[in-house]
Amino acid sequence: MARDPVCGMYVDEEHAAFKIEQGGKVYYFCSEGCMLTFQQPEVERKKLRNLAIFSLSLGLWLMIIMFLPEPSLFSHHYWGLILATPVQFIAGYRYYRGAWGALKARTANMDTLIVIGTTTAWGYSTFVVLFPNYAPSMDIYFDASAMILGLILIGKYLEEVARGRASDAVRKLLDLQPPTAHLIKEDGSEETVGVETVMPMDILRVKPGEKIALDGIIIDGASSVDESMITGESIPVSKKVGDEVIGGTINKEGSFKMEVTKIGMNTTLQQIVQMVEEAQLSKAPIQRLADTVAAYFTPAVLIIATVSFLGWYYIGKSSFGFAFTSFISIVIVACPCAMGIATPTAILVGAGIGAQNGILIKNGEVLEKARSLEAVAFDKTGTLTKGEIVVTDLVTNEPEILITEVASLEKLSEHPIASAIVNYVDNRGIRLFEAEKFESLAGRGVKGIVNGKSYVIGTSRLMSEMKIDITPVQKDADLLYDQGKTLAFVALENKIVAIIAVADQLKDSAPEAVKKLIDMGLRVVMITGDNKRTAAAIAKQANIEEYISEVLPEDKVKEIKKLKENGLNVAMVGDGINDAPALVEADVGIALGSGTDVALETGGIVLIRNNLMDVPTAIELSKRTYRKIIQNLFWAFFYNTALIPVAAGALIPWGIQMNPIFAAGAMAISSFTVVTNSLLLRRWRPKG
């Protein structure tokens, strides 16, 4: 038995809060997500199955011998003791350990109820056999204690089988990575090696039809790669020298050489697996409510059972056996095991379904928040648009040397517009100069000196701040703005000399995604650093009516805060470093898989496929999963509360008293119902 360092609970593998299968093993976790131990899932299932068969076989035989003639060697009572005792302490051992651990932690759980119920039945029956003269009743319950344990173990076995199916998503992801790779040695020869021996900067050859072993960059050759198992994109992607390839994807046609860039847990595939596992292990806020109820539920059940026993025996003047049966039935039927798995099983399935559809949900809290969103804020560049900015217009009376000097300064900047300007010059084979005194002005532009000339390049806002008059080019700027283009104004020695216009294409999925979000009743907002005219043009193309323009990176957080101050639950969708603070500030941060590592780390949901249609899909999935959680909790509470009055004798006026064996069956069915209901979520498919 292990003591959980976080919550201080004594928990062993038999009584962990939940379990996850991965790589042929099953990992056991406490309620706070601490891993305790692991073992092969097949071993666990066989153990449960064998113990259930053992218990039910002896339990049925105990029921049968009661109708047989009295044996000559021992009486029926002694045979009951002989057969029931192994069941009680072999099959029931796991529950005694769990109850003892809970007792050490000064709490009570479902094992407490199972142990009290079965031990009371077995213990009283043993007392009747050994001390018949002192027993208030000659009734024995050996068959009940054995059958109760058998039925509970059957329920646990079916639950484990169902849990295994819920872990299919992780298993399928892990199966994508091939076990070997073709390593090219320094002498040029090839050797097939285990993928675990490959190191960064090693060179691998990938042949047609093979799975790519690890993440890397193509250094020789070209091909088309099927990335559907990672990104969900069904069309193979063309790859050439310099392009990145992902481990686990399939090389369709050509042969190529690649340099390994990521291994082990740093690969895209392993990071996806890790995100899915973390989500499956996480706890949704609603689980805290269930935990709180369960903490008070067990003591309350014991009080109800005791009151029922005393009421029937002393007030109702019923027989001891009748009152005792009521006590055992209440304790067993109220066992809250279904309550404990209601939330984890739904999250387990929901996170797996998300992974299969290219949506990585990092934890249960994000899953629960996403279902109650009221507004979605989009970044523009690289999120709503493709992020492939190109120079479309150059308005200037200066010679070609000007654009060369501008590019020489912009090459020191990491902004997408700067990259577009540099690429514009590179494509013409022009050699750049060295820049001096370079300074980046976040969200506004750059300034510096090239060939002894002082340049300021940036937005109209920057020109205004620097008191540079743009009136001479205002007419040209207005025309370009109306076309939805982004402008970089160029000032030489504090005089405006040029306009460089760049444009970025809207993603094909943007208008449809926005329409679907609006149809779902969500408020959609675009937040961009572009000027108002460009923002208006892009927003119109994307069917977005509300947009906020000329926002500096640090001010995106303020805009998210404003939306939240209006009482809205807000999601932020972005892909860049400058989006990271807003992703954190939002109730739910949604990062595109093509974005920066910072954005991916801060986003609560990651869209691997970069398809904006996955935004409404993620929200829809969270709603479906939360609905399953509510349904599971309902069924758990329904079984536990609806059957307690029956067990206490509410149907006695009609001659019906619940047998403890049927109480155990109802408890097993409640757990199985919850897990099966969660598995029904696997049938869900995103619309469209």
Side-chain angles (χ1 to χ4, degrees), residues 132-188:
N133 295 331
Y134 299 97
S137 167
M138 294 304 292
D139 296 322
I140 60 171
Y141 303 91
F142 288 127
D143 55 340
S145 65
M147 290 297 291
I148 286 169
L149 287 171
L151 288 170
I152 291 171
L153 287 167
I154 283 289
K156 292 293 290 182
Y157 171 71
L158 295 174
E159 182 184 313
E160 288 303 316
V161 172
R163 284 179 191 265
R165 293 174 185 168
S167 299
D168 283 347
V170 175
R171 276 202 302 273
K172 288 176 182 177
L173 287 171
L174 288 167
D175 290 342
L176 292 178
Q177 187 175 54
T180 60
H182 305 300
L183 177 67
I184 299 179
K185 297 182 178 180
E186 293 182 1
D187 60 3

Short mmCIF file of all heavy atoms in Angstrom, two decimals, residues 132-188:
data_model
loop_
_atom_site.label_atom_id
_atom_site.label_comp_id
_atom_site.label_asym_id
_atom_site.label_seq_id
_atom_site.Cartn_x
_atom_site.Cartn_y
_atom_site.Cartn_z
N PRO A 132 -24.25 -20.86 19.15
CA PRO A 132 -25.69 -20.83 18.84
C PRO A 132 -26.58 -20.48 20.04
O PRO A 132 -27.66 -19.90 19.86
CB PRO A 132 -25.97 -22.26 18.35
CG PRO A 132 -24.87 -23.07 18.94
CD PRO A 132 -23.67 -22.19 18.98
N ASN A 133 -26.11 -20.78 21.24
CA ASN A 133 -26.94 -20.53 22.43
C ASN A 133 -27.05 -19.04 22.75
O ASN A 133 -27.95 -18.63 23.49
CB ASN A 133 -26.38 -21.27 23.64
CG ASN A 133 -26.46 -22.79 23.45
OD1 ASN A 133 -27.36 -23.27 22.76
ND2 ASN A 133 -25.53 -23.51 24.05
N TYR A 134 -26.12 -18.25 22.23
CA TYR A 134 -26.12 -16.81 22.55
C TYR A 134 -26.65 -15.96 21.40
O TYR A 134 -26.75 -14.74 21.54
CB TYR A 134 -24.70 -16.35 22.89
CG TYR A 134 -24.13 -17.07 24.10
CD1 TYR A 134 -23.30 -18.17 23.94
CD2 TYR A 134 -24.43 -16.64 25.39
CE1 TYR A 134 -22.77 -18.83 25.03
CE2 TYR A 134 -23.90 -17.30 26.49
CZ TYR A 134 -23.07 -18.39 26.31
OH TYR A 134 -22.56 -19.04 27.40
N ALA A 135 -26.97 -16.57 20.28
CA ALA A 135 -27.42 -15.81 19.11
C ALA A 135 -28.88 -15.43 19.24
O ALA A 135 -29.70 -16.26 19.62
CB ALA A 135 -27.21 -16.62 17.84
N PRO A 136 -29.25 -14.16 18.92
CA PRO A 136 -30.65 -13.74 18.99
C PRO A 136 -31.50 -14.38 17.89
O PRO A 136 -32.72 -14.42 17.98
CB PRO A 136 -30.59 -12.23 18.81
CG PRO A 136 -29.31 -11.98 18.10
CD PRO A 136 -28.36 -13.04 18.55
N SER A 137 -30.84 -14.86 16.83
CA SER A 137 -31.56 -15.51 15.73
C SER A 137 -30.65 -16.56 15.13
O SER A 137 -29.43 -16.42 15.11
CB SER A 137 -31.95 -14.48 14.66
OG SER A 137 -32.37 -15.13 13.48
N MET A 138 -31.22 -17.65 14.63
CA MET A 138 -30.43 -18.73 14.03
C MET A 138 -30.25 -18.55 12.52
O MET A 138 -29.72 -19.43 11.85
CB MET A 138 -31.10 -20.08 14.32
CG MET A 138 -31.11 -20.46 15.80
SD MET A 138 -29.44 -20.47 16.52
CE MET A 138 -28.74 -21.87 15.66
N ASP A 139 -30.66 -17.41 11.98
CA ASP A 139 -30.48 -17.14 10.56
C ASP A 139 -28.99 -16.97 10.25
O ASP A 139 -28.26 -16.32 11.01
CB ASP A 139 -31.22 -15.87 10.14
CG ASP A 139 -32.72 -16.03 10.32
OD1 ASP A 139 -33.23 -17.12 10.05
OD2 ASP A 139 -33.37 -15.04 10.75
N ILE A 140 -28.54 -17.52 9.10
CA ILE A 140 -27.16 -17.32 8.68
C ILE A 140 -27.16 -16.67 7.29
O ILE A 140 -28.10 -16.83 6.51
CB ILE A 140 -26.36 -18.63 8.66
CG1 ILE A 140 -26.99 -19.64 7.70
CG2 ILE A 140 -26.20 -19.21 10.05
CD1 ILE A 140 -26.14 -20.87 7.48
N TYR A 141 -26.06 -15.94 6.97
CA TYR A 141 -25.99 -15.13 5.75
C TYR A 141 -24.70 -15.41 4.98
O TYR A 141 -24.19 -14.55 4.28
CB TYR A 141 -26.08 -13.65 6.10
CG TYR A 141 -27.32 -13.29 6.87
CD1 TYR A 141 -27.33 -13.30 8.26
CD2 TYR A 141 -28.49 -12.95 6.20
CE1 TYR A 141 -28.47 -12.98 8.97
CE2 TYR A 141 -29.64 -12.62 6.90
CZ TYR A 141 -29.63 -12.65 8.29
OH TYR A 141 -30.77 -12.33 8.99
N PHE A 142 -24.17 -16.64 5.10
CA PHE A 142 -22.93 -16.97 4.40
C PHE A 142 -23.10 -16.84 2.89
O PHE A 142 -22.22 -16.33 2.20
CB PHE A 142 -22.49 -18.40 4.75
CG PHE A 142 -21.95 -18.55 6.13
CD1 PHE A 142 -22.46 -19.51 6.98
CD2 PHE A 142 -20.91 -17.75 6.57
CE1 PHE A 142 -21.95 -19.67 8.26
CE2 PHE A 142 -20.39 -17.90 7.86
CZ PHE A 142 -20.92 -18.86 8.72
N ASP A 143 -24.23 -17.32 2.35
CA ASP A 143 -24.45 -17.22 0.92
C ASP A 143 -24.53 -15.77 0.46
O ASP A 143 -24.03 -15.40 -0.61
CB ASP A 143 -25.71 -17.98 0.51
CG ASP A 143 -26.94 -17.51 1.28
OD1 ASP A 143 -26.77 -16.91 2.35
OD2 ASP A 143 -28.07 -17.74 0.79
N ALA A 144 -25.12 -14.91 1.30
CA ALA A 144 -25.25 -13.49 0.95
C ALA A 144 -23.87 -12.82 0.87
O ALA A 144 -23.58 -12.09 -0.09
CB ALA A 144 -26.12 -12.77 1.97
N SER A 145 -23.00 -13.07 1.86
CA SER A 145 -21.69 -12.42 1.87
C SER A 145 -20.87 -12.86 0.67
O SER A 145 -20.19 -12.04 0.02
CB SER A 145 -20.94 -12.74 3.17
OG SER A 145 -20.65 -14.12 3.27
N ALA A 146 -20.91 -14.17 0.33
CA ALA A 146 -20.14 -14.67 -0.81
C ALA A 146 -20.68 -14.13 -2.13
O ALA A 146 -19.93 -13.69 -3.01
CB ALA A 146 -20.16 -16.20 -0.82
N MET A 147 -22.01 -14.14 -2.30
CA MET A 147 -22.61 -13.66 -3.54
C MET A 147 -22.42 -12.16 -3.72
O MET A 147 -22.23 -11.67 -4.83
CB MET A 147 -24.10 -14.00 -3.56
CG MET A 147 -24.40 -15.49 -3.71
SD MET A 147 -23.81 -16.18 -5.26
CE MET A 147 -24.92 -15.40 -6.42
N ILE A 148 -22.47 -11.41 -2.62
CA ILE A 148 -22.25 -9.96 -2.69
C ILE A 148 -20.86 -9.68 -3.25
O ILE A 148 -20.69 -8.88 -4.18
CB ILE A 148 -22.42 -9.31 -1.30
CG1 ILE A 148 -23.90 -9.25 -0.93
CG2 ILE A 148 -21.82 -7.91 -1.27
CD1 ILE A 148 -24.15 -8.88 0.52
N LEU A 149 -19.83 -10.33 -2.69
CA LEU A 149 -18.47 -10.11 -3.18
C LEU A 149 -18.33 -10.55 -4.63
O LEU A 149 -17.67 -9.88 -5.44
CB LEU A 149 -17.48 -10.87 -2.30
CG LEU A 149 -17.25 -10.28 -0.90
CD1 LEU A 149 -16.43 -11.23 -0.04
CD2 LEU A 149 -16.55 -8.93 -1.00
N GLY A 150 -18.96 -11.66 -4.99
CA GLY A 150 -18.89 -12.13 -6.37
C GLY A 150 -19.51 -11.16 -7.35
O GLY A 150 -18.94 -10.85 -8.40
N LEU A 151 -20.68 -10.64 -7.02
CA LEU A 151 -21.36 -9.69 -7.91
C LEU A 151 -20.60 -8.37 -8.01
O LEU A 151 -20.53 -7.76 -9.09
CB LEU A 151 -22.79 -9.45 -7.42
CG LEU A 151 -23.76 -10.63 -7.61
CD1 LEU A 151 -25.05 -10.38 -6.86
CD2 LEU A 151 -24.03 -10.86 -9.10
N ILE A 152 -20.04 -7.92 -6.90
CA ILE A 152 -19.25 -6.68 -6.93
C ILE A 152 -18.02 -6.86 -7.82
O ILE A 152 -17.66 -5.98 -8.60
CB ILE A 152 -18.83 -6.28 -5.50
CG1 ILE A 152 -20.07 -5.82 -4.70
CG2 ILE A 152 -17.78 -5.16 -5.53
CD1 ILE A 152 -19.79 -5.60 -3.23
N LEU A 153 -17.37 -8.02 -7.72
CA LEU A 153 -16.19 -8.30 -8.55
C LEU A 153 -16.56 -8.42 -10.03
O LEU A 153 -15.79 -7.99 -10.89
CB LEU A 153 -15.51 -9.57 -8.06
CG LEU A 153 -14.76 -9.44 -6.72
CD1 LEU A 153 -14.40 -10.80 -6.17
CD2 LEU A 153 -13.51 -8.58 -6.90
N ILE A 154 -17.74 -8.98 -10.31
CA ILE A 154 -18.20 -9.03 -11.70
C ILE A 154 -18.37 -7.61 -12.24
O ILE A 154 -17.98 -7.29 -13.37
CB ILE A 154 -19.54 -9.80 -11.80
CG1 ILE A 154 -19.29 -11.30 -11.70
CG2 ILE A 154 -20.27 -9.48 -13.09
CD1 ILE A 154 -18.60 -11.90 -12.92
N GLY A 155 -18.97 -6.73 -11.41
CA GLY A 155 -19.13 -5.34 -11.82
C GLY A 155 -17.80 -4.66 -12.08
O GLY A 155 -17.63 -3.93 -13.06
N LYS A 156 -16.81 -4.94 -11.21
CA LYS A 156 -15.47 -4.35 -11.39
C LYS A 156 -14.81 -4.89 -12.65
O LYS A 156 -14.13 -4.16 -13.37
CB LYS A 156 -14.61 -4.68 -10.18
CG LYS A 156 -15.04 -4.00 -8.89
CD LYS A 156 -14.86 -2.49 -8.95
CE LYS A 156 -13.41 -2.08 -8.95
NZ LYS A 156 -13.25 -0.61 -8.96
N TYR A 157 -15.01 -6.19 -12.92
CA TYR A 157 -14.43 -6.79 -14.12
C TYR A 157 -15.01 -6.14 -15.38
O TYR A 157 -14.26 -5.76 -16.29
CB TYR A 157 -14.69 -8.29 -14.13
CG TYR A 157 -14.33 -8.96 -15.43
CD1 TYR A 157 -13.00 -9.11 -15.81
CD2 TYR A 157 -15.33 -9.41 -16.30
CE1 TYR A 157 -12.67 -9.70 -17.02
CE2 TYR A 157 -15.01 -10.01 -17.51
CZ TYR A 157 -13.67 -10.16 -17.86
OH TYR A 157 -13.35 -10.74 -19.06
N LEU A 158 -16.33 -6.00 -15.44
CA LEU A 158 -16.96 -5.37 -16.60
C LEU A 158 -16.52 -3.91 -16.74
O LEU A 158 -16.35 -3.39 -17.84
CB LEU A 158 -18.49 -5.45 -16.47
CG LEU A 158 -19.08 -6.87 -16.52
CD1 LEU A 158 -20.58 -6.82 -16.24
CD2 LEU A 158 -18.80 -7.53 -17.87
N GLU A 159 -16.34 -3.27 -15.60
CA GLU A 159 -15.88 -1.88 -15.60
C GLU A 159 -14.48 -1.78 -16.20
O GLU A 159 -14.18 -0.88 -16.99
CB GLU A 159 -15.89 -1.36 -14.17
CG GLU A 159 -15.47 0.08 -14.00
CD GLU A 159 -15.41 0.45 -12.53
OE1 GLU A 159 -16.36 0.12 -11.79
OE2 GLU A 159 -14.40 1.04 -12.12
N GLU A 160 -13.59 -2.72 -15.84
CA GLU A 160 -12.22 -2.71 -16.36
C GLU A 160 -12.19 -2.96 -17.86
O GLU A 160 -11.41 -2.35 -18.58
CB GLU A 160 -11.38 -3.77 -15.64
CG GLU A 160 -11.05 -3.44 -14.20
CD GLU A 160 -10.31 -2.12 -14.08
OE1 GLU A 160 -9.39 -1.88 -14.87
OE2 GLU A 160 -10.67 -1.33 -13.20
N VAL A 161 -13.05 -3.87 -18.33
CA VAL A 161 -13.14 -4.12 -19.77
C VAL A 161 -13.57 -2.85 -20.50
O VAL A 161 -13.01 -2.49 -21.54
CB VAL A 161 -14.14 -5.27 -20.05
CG1 VAL A 161 -14.39 -5.40 -21.55
CG2 VAL A 161 -13.60 -6.58 -19.48
N ALA A 162 -14.56 -2.16 -19.94
CA ALA A 162 -15.05 -0.92 -20.56
C ALA A 162 -13.99 0.17 -20.53
O ALA A 162 -13.82 0.92 -21.49
CB ALA A 162 -16.31 -0.45 -19.84
N ARG A 163 -13.26 0.28 -19.42
CA ARG A 163 -12.19 1.28 -19.33
C ARG A 163 -11.13 1.05 -20.40
O ARG A 163 -10.58 1.99 -20.97
CB ARG A 163 -11.53 1.22 -17.94
CG ARG A 163 -12.32 1.82 -16.80
CD ARG A 163 -11.50 1.63 -15.53
NE ARG A 163 -12.23 1.92 -14.33
CZ ARG A 163 -12.20 3.09 -13.71
NH1 ARG A 163 -11.51 4.08 -14.22
NH2 ARG A 163 -12.88 3.29 -12.60
N GLY A 164 -10.83 -0.22 -20.65
CA GLY A 164 -9.83 -0.55 -21.66
C GLY A 164 -10.21 -0.03 -23.02
O GLY A 164 -9.39 0.49 -23.77
N ARG A 165 -11.50 -0.13 -23.33
CA ARG A 165 -11.97 0.40 -24.61
C ARG A 165 -11.84 1.91 -24.66
O ARG A 165 -11.59 2.49 -25.72
CB ARG A 165 -13.43 0.01 -24.82
CG ARG A 165 -13.64 -1.49 -24.99
CD ARG A 165 -15.10 -1.84 -25.04
NE ARG A 165 -15.33 -3.28 -25.09
CZ ARG A 165 -16.51 -3.84 -24.91
NH1 ARG A 165 -17.58 -3.08 -24.68
NH2 ARG A 165 -16.64 -5.14 -24.96
N ALA A 166 -12.00 2.56 -23.54
CA ALA A 166 -11.91 4.03 -23.49
C ALA A 166 -10.49 4.52 -23.74
O ALA A 166 -10.28 5.67 -24.10
CB ALA A 166 -12.40 4.54 -22.15
N SER A 167 -9.48 3.67 -23.54
CA SER A 167 -8.09 4.07 -23.72
C SER A 167 -7.58 3.78 -25.12
O SER A 167 -6.39 3.91 -25.39
CB SER A 167 -7.20 3.33 -22.70
OG SER A 167 -7.59 3.68 -21.39
N ASP A 168 -8.48 3.41 -26.04
CA ASP A 168 -8.06 3.07 -27.40
C ASP A 168 -7.33 4.21 -28.08
O ASP A 168 -6.39 3.98 -28.86
CB ASP A 168 -9.28 2.69 -28.25
CG ASP A 168 -9.77 1.28 -27.93
OD1 ASP A 168 -9.02 0.55 -27.25
OD2 ASP A 168 -10.88 0.92 -28.34
N ALA A 169 -7.74 5.45 -27.84
CA ALA A 169 -7.15 6.60 -28.52
C ALA A 169 -5.66 6.69 -28.23
O ALA A 169 -4.85 6.89 -29.15
CB ALA A 169 -7.84 7.89 -28.08
N VAL A 170 -5.27 6.52 -26.97
CA VAL A 170 -3.85 6.60 -26.60
C VAL A 170 -3.09 5.43 -27.19
O VAL A 170 -1.98 5.58 -27.70
CB VAL A 170 -3.68 6.65 -25.07
CG1 VAL A 170 -2.22 6.60 -24.69
CG2 VAL A 170 -4.32 7.91 -24.51
N ARG A 171 -3.68 4.25 -27.14
CA ARG A 171 -3.00 3.07 -27.67
C ARG A 171 -2.76 3.22 -29.16
O ARG A 171 -1.69 2.87 -29.68
CB ARG A 171 -3.83 1.82 -27.40
CG ARG A 171 -3.61 1.23 -26.02
CD ARG A 171 -4.01 -0.24 -25.99
NE ARG A 171 -5.40 -0.42 -26.39
CZ ARG A 171 -6.43 -0.35 -25.55
NH1 ARG A 171 -6.21 -0.10 -24.27
NH2 ARG A 171 -7.66 -0.53 -25.96
N LYS A 172 -3.76 3.74 -29.89
CA LYS A 172 -3.61 3.92 -31.33
C LYS A 172 -2.49 4.91 -31.64
O LYS A 172 -1.74 4.74 -32.60
CB LYS A 172 -4.93 4.39 -31.94
CG LYS A 172 -6.00 3.30 -32.00
CD LYS A 172 -7.31 3.84 -32.53
CE LYS A 172 -8.39 2.75 -32.54
NZ LYS A 172 -9.70 3.30 -32.99
N LEU A 173 -2.39 5.97 -30.85
CA LEU A 173 -1.33 6.95 -31.05
C LEU A 173 0.04 6.32 -30.82
O LEU A 173 0.98 6.53 -31.59
CB LEU A 173 -1.52 8.14 -30.12
CG LEU A 173 -2.66 9.10 -30.46
CD1 LEU A 173 -2.87 10.09 -29.33
CD2 LEU A 173 -2.38 9.84 -31.76
N LEU A 174 0.17 5.54 -29.74
CA LEU A 174 1.44 4.91 -29.43
C LEU A 174 1.86 3.90 -30.49
O LEU A 174 3.05 3.70 -30.74
CB LEU A 174 1.36 4.23 -28.06
CG LEU A 174 1.32 5.18 -26.86
CD1 LEU A 174 0.92 4.43 -25.61
CD2 LEU A 174 2.67 5.85 -26.66
N ASP A 175 0.88 3.26 -31.11
CA ASP A 175 1.18 2.27 -32.14
C ASP A 175 1.70 2.89 -33.43
O ASP A 175 2.19 2.17 -34.31
CB ASP A 175 -0.07 1.43 -32.45
CG ASP A 175 -0.43 0.50 -31.30
OD1 ASP A 175 0.45 0.26 -30.44
OD2 ASP A 175 -1.60 0.06 -31.24
N LEU A 176 1.58 4.22 -33.57
CA LEU A 176 2.00 4.87 -34.81
C LEU A 176 3.51 4.85 -34.98
O LEU A 176 4.02 4.79 -36.10
CB LEU A 176 1.52 6.34 -34.83
CG LEU A 176 0.00 6.55 -34.95
CD1 LEU A 176 -0.31 8.03 -34.91
CD2 LEU A 176 -0.54 5.94 -36.23
N GLN A 177 4.26 4.94 -33.87
CA GLN A 177 5.71 5.02 -33.99
C GLN A 177 6.31 3.66 -34.36
O GLN A 177 6.07 2.67 -33.67
CB GLN A 177 6.34 5.52 -32.70
CG GLN A 177 7.85 5.78 -32.85
CD GLN A 177 8.43 6.38 -31.59
OE1 GLN A 177 8.29 5.85 -30.52
NE2 GLN A 177 9.11 7.51 -31.75
N PRO A 178 7.09 3.60 -35.45
CA PRO A 178 7.71 2.33 -35.83
C PRO A 178 8.82 1.95 -34.86
O PRO A 178 9.44 2.83 -34.24
CB PRO A 178 8.27 2.63 -37.22
CG PRO A 178 8.52 4.11 -37.21
CD PRO A 178 7.43 4.69 -36.36
N PRO A 179 9.11 0.67 -34.70
CA PRO A 179 10.15 0.25 -33.74
C PRO A 179 11.57 0.43 -34.25
O PRO A 179 12.52 0.46 -33.46
CB PRO A 179 9.83 -1.24 -33.53
CG PRO A 179 9.16 -1.66 -34.80
CD PRO A 179 8.39 -0.47 -35.29
N THR A 180 11.75 0.55 -35.58
CA THR A 180 13.10 0.64 -36.14
C THR A 180 13.22 1.81 -37.11
O THR A 180 12.22 2.38 -37.55
CB THR A 180 13.48 -0.66 -36.87
OG1 THR A 180 12.54 -0.88 -37.94
CG2 THR A 180 13.45 -1.85 -35.91
N ALA A 181 14.47 2.13 -37.46
CA ALA A 181 14.75 3.20 -38.43
C ALA A 181 16.00 2.83 -39.21
O ALA A 181 16.84 2.04 -38.74
CB ALA A 181 14.94 4.53 -37.71
N HIS A 182 16.14 3.39 -40.43
CA HIS A 182 17.33 3.14 -41.27
C HIS A 182 18.34 4.26 -41.01
O HIS A 182 18.21 5.37 -41.54
CB HIS A 182 16.94 3.09 -42.74
CG HIS A 182 15.87 2.10 -43.05
ND1 HIS A 182 16.00 0.75 -42.82
CD2 HIS A 182 14.62 2.25 -43.57
CE1 HIS A 182 14.90 0.11 -43.17
NE2 HIS A 182 14.04 1.01 -43.63
N LEU A 183 19.37 3.96 -40.23
CA LEU A 183 20.38 4.95 -39.87
C LEU A 183 21.50 4.95 -40.91
O LEU A 183 22.04 3.89 -41.26
CB LEU A 183 20.95 4.62 -38.49
CG LEU A 183 22.08 5.52 -37.98
CD1 LEU A 183 21.56 6.93 -37.72
CD2 LEU A 183 22.70 4.93 -36.72
N ILE A 184 21.85 6.15 -41.39
CA ILE A 184 22.96 6.29 -42.34
C ILE A 184 24.23 6.64 -41.55
O ILE A 184 24.29 7.67 -40.87
CB ILE A 184 22.67 7.38 -43.38
CG1 ILE A 184 21.41 7.00 -44.19
CG2 ILE A 184 23.87 7.57 -44.31
CD1 ILE A 184 21.02 8.02 -45.22
N LYS A 185 25.23 5.76 -41.64
CA LYS A 185 26.48 5.95 -40.89
C LYS A 185 27.37 6.97 -41.60
O LYS A 185 27.10 7.42 -42.72
CB LYS A 185 27.21 4.62 -40.76
CG LYS A 185 26.44 3.57 -39.96
CD LYS A 185 27.28 2.30 -39.85
CE LYS A 185 26.57 1.24 -39.03
NZ LYS A 185 27.38 0.00 -38.91
N GLU A 186 28.48 7.31 -40.95
CA GLU A 186 29.41 8.31 -41.50
C GLU A 186 30.03 7.83 -42.81
O GLU A 186 30.38 8.64 -43.67
CB GLU A 186 30.49 8.63 -40.48
CG GLU A 186 29.97 9.36 -39.25
CD GLU A 186 31.08 9.70 -38.28
OE1 GLU A 186 32.26 9.39 -38.58
OE2 GLU A 186 30.78 10.31 -37.23
N ASP A 187 30.21 6.50 -42.96
CA ASP A 187 30.80 5.98 -44.20
C ASP A 187 29.78 5.83 -45.31
O ASP A 187 30.10 5.33 -46.40
CB ASP A 187 31.50 4.65 -43.93
CG ASP A 187 30.53 3.58 -43.40
OD1 ASP A 187 29.32 3.88 -43.31
OD2 ASP A 187 30.98 2.47 -43.07
N GLY A 188 28.54 6.23 -45.07
CA GLY A 188 27.51 6.18 -46.09
C GLY A 188 26.69 4.91 -46.09
O GLY A 188 25.68 4.82 -46.79
#
